[in-house]
Amino acid sequence: MNSFSLLFARIQQNWRFQYGLFKAVIDWTIMVYLVIPAIVIGAAVYRSWWVDIPYWIEGIPYEILFVLFFFFLWNGHFHTFVREADGIFLMKNESLLLGLKQGGIIYTSILELLSAMFLAFVISPFWIKHFEMSIGGLILFHLMWVSLKWLVMAVKGKMNVLVKGWRNIFRSMPLAIMAFIIWYVSYRAFTMENTFFMMSIIMLNVLVTLKLIKKRFTSIRTFEQDLVIDEMEKIKYITLILGMSMDMEKLSKPTLTRRKPRLYSRSNRIFKERTSTKGFLELFIKATTRNSEYILGFLKITGITAAAIIAIPPIWFKITIICFGYIFLISWIGNVWNKLIGEHPFTKKYVGDDGYLHGKRAITIILSIPFIVVIICALIIRIWILSLFSFL
């Protein structure tokens, strides 16, 4: 077996794995009633953009594309398609392992280039018919973007991907600042229509990328880092699905053991009056506020809904998003309540009692209030933005 056939086999295995994950999440009913209609409707909408530009794009400048594409930079790494067993069986065959790594990096680069072509295809109706810019400008725009994405991926490949949380945010700030500066310079070169400057930026990004991935491309000593990156990229969609699902049990994250919790260290009572309803409420409040995962879950639902309301123009989209966001919030509250109270060995025998039902209804109302307040604030911010920028 040569390195090319091994790489081809690994790519096939990866696509089969992702397809199996896709089938596990989207069964035939979802495929028939949601996915296929969405594809057909999406194709029809895309065709209509070439015939008649939608009203909501009127007045929006092309600068908004630079903002959107900046956020598209941060997904992905250079894959090498190594496996844990390769450290035993392929480490002695250096040429085979190195050929596998090199082929994987080249394949990932081509895949990113194809994704840039797909994005160019999606925005081309707006680029040509609304912004009235040339196809050559579209090609240069996406070449600047994909070369910067290669650079970001190369830098991420030299960072410790096991670092999570706040440390990862602070560590990534220099990379974000660097990418922002390069992207802003690219934007200035594009506005000045300086083709030589834009080509220079593309070449510089590519040269720095080659310099940064040289060790991964020419040596097998980065095997451990390559393995961690590939395993993380392989399961990132599983992690996303598990993070969104409250019905699947998740492994608890390792935390430092403390003699006393940060909140309610003496387990003080929250309510002076003791009733069964307030007892269930107190258990729920203490359990959720002591665990950051539940707090982040609530903030994700509320924040994503608010951000969508601010960003998406059509009013009927906003109403739909608010309705689905609230339904998702109610479902999430019910799942968390059942997990913490309804399925707990000490409290599940009280399921169906008046205090249990009243407590569940009360916590639903309590958590709905900040959600509604945030939605109202998002609508006010949207109106304020409209008053400042008429093109939105």
Side-chain angles (χ1 to χ4, degrees):
M1 177 180 287
N2 55 31
S3 57
F4 177 79
S5 58
L6 179 59
L7 173 65
F8 184 73
R10 295 286 172 84
I11 292 174
Q12 280 187 320
Q13 291 172 7
N14 181 67
W15 280 106
R16 287 197 194 103
F17 179 83
Q18 301 301 335
Y19 176 68
L21 177 62
F22 177 80
K23 286 202 305 181
V25 176
I26 300 179
D27 58 11
W28 70 270
T29 54
I30 299 177
M31 177 69 73
V32 171
Y33 293 108
L34 288 179
V35 177
I36 295 177
I39 294 173
V40 174
I41 294 172
V45 170
Y46 179 78
R47 182 181 177 278
S48 70
W49 290 347
W50 284 102
V51 177
D52 186 20
I53 292 296
Y55 74 93
W56 51 263
I57 198 68
E58 295 294 336
I60 296 181
Y62 71 87
E63 285 85 355
I64 198 70
L65 294 175
F66 280 87
V67 177
L68 291 175
F69 274 72
F70 179 77
F71 293 102
F72 296 159
L73 290 171
W74 307 102
N75 181 40
H77 289 79
F78 283 111
H79 290 223
T80 53
F81 294 97
V82 295
R83 299 291 181 264
E84 191 172 3
D86 295 341
I88 300 174
F89 297 104
L90 292 185
M91 194 62 72
K92 295 181 180 179
N93 193 340
E94 183 173 345
S95 60
L96 183 61
L97 182 57
L98 195 58
L100 173 66
K101 291 180 53 177
Q102 292 172 349
I105 292 173
I106 294 172
Y107 168 79
T108 310
S109 305
I110 295 173
L111 207 60
E112 292 299 331
L113 188 59
L114 292 175
S115 69
M117 293 171 63
F118 174 75
L119 291 174
F121 174 76
V122 171
I123 69 170
S124 56
F126 306 125
W127 188 278
I128 296 171
K129 293 184 68 72
H130 175 61
F131 301 131
E132 296 181 347
M133 292 189 289
S134 65
I135 296 178
L138 180 65
I139 295 172
L140 284 172
F141 172 80
H142 281 85
L143 285 177
M144 288 191 296
W145 177 77
V146 76
S147 66
L148 180 56
K149 186 168 186 181
W150 285 338
L151 177 58
V152 170
M153 291 166 60
V155 175
K156 287 166 62 179
K158 298 184 75 68
M159 300 166 69
N160 185 1
V161 294
L162 296 177
V163 176
K164 302 293 182 182
W166 291 106
R167 289 190 300 164
N168 182 46
I169 294 175
F170 285 117
R171 183 196 59 174
S172 302
M173 286 180 65
L175 174 60
I177 294 171
M178 176 207 71
F180 175 79
I181 293 173
I182 296 174
W183 194 232
Y184 179 75
V185 173
S186 303
Y187 161 71
R188 297 299 300 174
F190 188 85
T191 55
M192 292 186 296
E193 299 183 358
N194 192 331
T195 305
F196 176 76
F197 196 12
M198 287 188 282
M199 292 300 298
S200 300
I201 293 172
I202 295 169
M203 292 302 300
L204 182 62
N205 288 340
V206 172
L207 290 175
V208 176
T209 301
L210 293 175
K211 177 66 177 177
L212 290 174
I213 65 171
K214 181 180 178 181
K215 187 175 181 180
R216 294 184 65 191
F217 196 81
T218 60
S219 174
I220 62 172
R221 295 183 181 179
T222 60
F223 176 79
E224 295 295 334
Q225 175 77 351
D226 297 331
L227 178 63
V228 172
I229 290 174
D230 275 59
E231 289 298 322
M232 183 187 68
E233 286 291 317
K234 182 180 179 181
I235 65 172
K236 66 179 179 181
Y237 297 114
I238 297 178
T239 306
L240 177 64
I241 294 168
L242 290 177
M244 294 174 61
S245 174
M246 285 300 305
D247 295 327
M248 297 183 182
E249 190 67 27
K250 307 170 187 62
L251 295 175
S252 57
K253 295 182 179 180
T255 55
L256 295 175
T257 37
R258 297 173 55 87
R259 295 183 62 185
K260 294 181 180 180
R262 290 186 177 92
L263 295 176
Y264 324 109
S265 58
R266 297 182 181 179
S267 195
N268 301 329
R269 289 182 177 180
I270 299 176
F271 306 103
K272 291 183 179 180
E273 184 183 354
R274 305 299 291 169
T275 63
S276 59
T277 299
K278 291 182 178 178
F280 285 118
L281 286 176
E282 184 171 316
L283 284 174
F284 184 86
I285 292 170
K286 288 183 176 180
T288 51
T289 53
R290 282 172 175 169
N291 191 330
S292 61
E293 291 296 320
Y294 298 120
I295 299 174
L296 289 175
F298 177 79
L299 293 177
K300 284 178 183 178
I301 297 171
T302 308
I304 291 172
T305 306
I309 291 171
I310 295 173
I312 297 178
I315 186 65
W316 62 273
F317 264 11
K318 297 182 192 297
I319 297 172
T320 305
I321 290 168
I322 292 173
C323 293
F324 276 100
Y326 187 69
I327 292 171
F328 193 78
L329 176 68
I330 298 301
S331 175
W332 180 83
I333 294 172
N335 285 328
V336 175
W337 177 274
N338 292 333
K339 180 179 180 180
L340 297 178
I341 309 296
E343 298 176 1
H344 195 278
F346 293 151
T347 55
K348 65 181 181 180
K349 61 181 179 181
Y350 300 107
V351 174
D353 290 358
D354 291 340
Y356 177 90
L357 298 176
H358 291 161
K360 185 176 182 180
R361 192 178 303 115
I363 202 65
T364 302
I365 296 172
I366 291 170
L367 292 179
S368 297
I369 293 172
F371 177 84
I372 295 171
V373 171
V374 171
I375 296 306
I376 293 173
C377 293
L379 291 171
I380 294 172
I381 292 172
R382 174 66 186 180
I383 295 171
W384 176 69
I385 292 174
L386 283 174
S387 65
L388 293 179
F389 306 100
S390 59
F391 62 82
L392 295 176

